[in-house]
Amino acid sequence: HGIGMTPAEMKRLFRPFAQANENIGRVFGGFGLGLVLVKRLAEAMGGSLTVKSRPGHGSTFTLAVVVAADREVAVLAEGQASARIARRAAPVRSLRILCAEDNPYGRVILKTILGELGHRAEFVGAGEAAVEAAARGGFDAVLMDVALPDIDGIEATRRIRALSGAAARIPVIAVSGRSSTEEEARAHAAGVNGYLTKPISPSKLNTYLSALAAT
């Protein structure tokens, strides 16, 4: 038994940063991401998350997932939970990845994908911070969102390439919401080693990182 939901509240339920009832959010907190992520992870694993509810009678959530015998692991891509990546039989080297991403939802996505691939993610929220972190060293690669506060990811990459020593040679993979050839050309001219468009393809990201982990 529970308070249940109206049809209008159920329509908002799986929208990012939305909650069925604003009063519930004010009382109990939360960002409105939990059910969104569960639903998309379920879909990535070949399953689904559904809900039935009646006001005053409560809600019933049904989660269904497909678990393969070969331990194939599904991972989440922003806005599109459709890519599936098989874990390697032999463990790969775990990489320490600097992620320049200011969007909280984007951070959840990247942390999920990188965690499933066996890598560690550390986040900064601005271009200048990405340059400073790269200069300090200790990272194996940078995932650089092109759209960032202060300086954008392309300018941040230029400044990383202008650093001295090993910091200037760190692999940088640009991540952009645009698929234009002009922006990709600008990114490569700034010195990126790869270019991914959103929603991120876990398989393409895995290709870049597996090559790094093998060196």
Side-chain angles (χ1 to χ4, degrees), residues 47-115:
S48 62
L49 176 65
T50 59
V51 59
K52 294 181 180 179
S53 185
R54 289 176 58 196
H57 290 78
S59 305
T60 300
F61 290 85
T62 302
L63 172 68
V65 296
V66 177
V67 181
D70 61 359
R71 298 181 66 193
E72 191 175 67
V73 179
V75 296
L76 178 65
E78 182 178 1
Q80 176 182 317
S82 61
R84 180 163 293 194
I85 299 174
R87 286 195 185 276
R88 288 185 167 194
V92 298
R93 179 168 66 96
S94 178
L95 302 176
R96 186 182 176 205
I97 310 296
L98 172 63
C99 300
E101 171 61 74
D102 65 313
N103 185 290
Y105 185 56
R107 290 187 176 199
V108 172
I109 300 299
L110 285 177
K111 187 175 180 64
T112 300
I113 294 174
L114 291 171

Side-chain angles (χ1 to χ4, degrees), residues 143-202:
L143 280 180
M144 182 74 75
D145 198 309
V146 171
L148 289 170
D150 57 44
I151 60 173
D152 66 17
I154 293 177
E155 177 59 26
T157 300
R158 290 194 189 98
R159 297 189 186 186
I160 288 174
R161 293 297 177 238
L163 296 172
S164 60
R169 299 188 296 273
I170 186 171
V172 177
I173 301 170
V175 179
S176 176
R178 301 178 181 177
S179 57
S180 69
T181 55
E182 292 83 2
E183 182 166 278
E184 184 171 356
R186 286 180 60 231
H188 281 290
V192 304
N193 302 87
Y195 188 91
L196 294 173
T197 56
K198 298 179 181 181
I200 292 176
S201 164

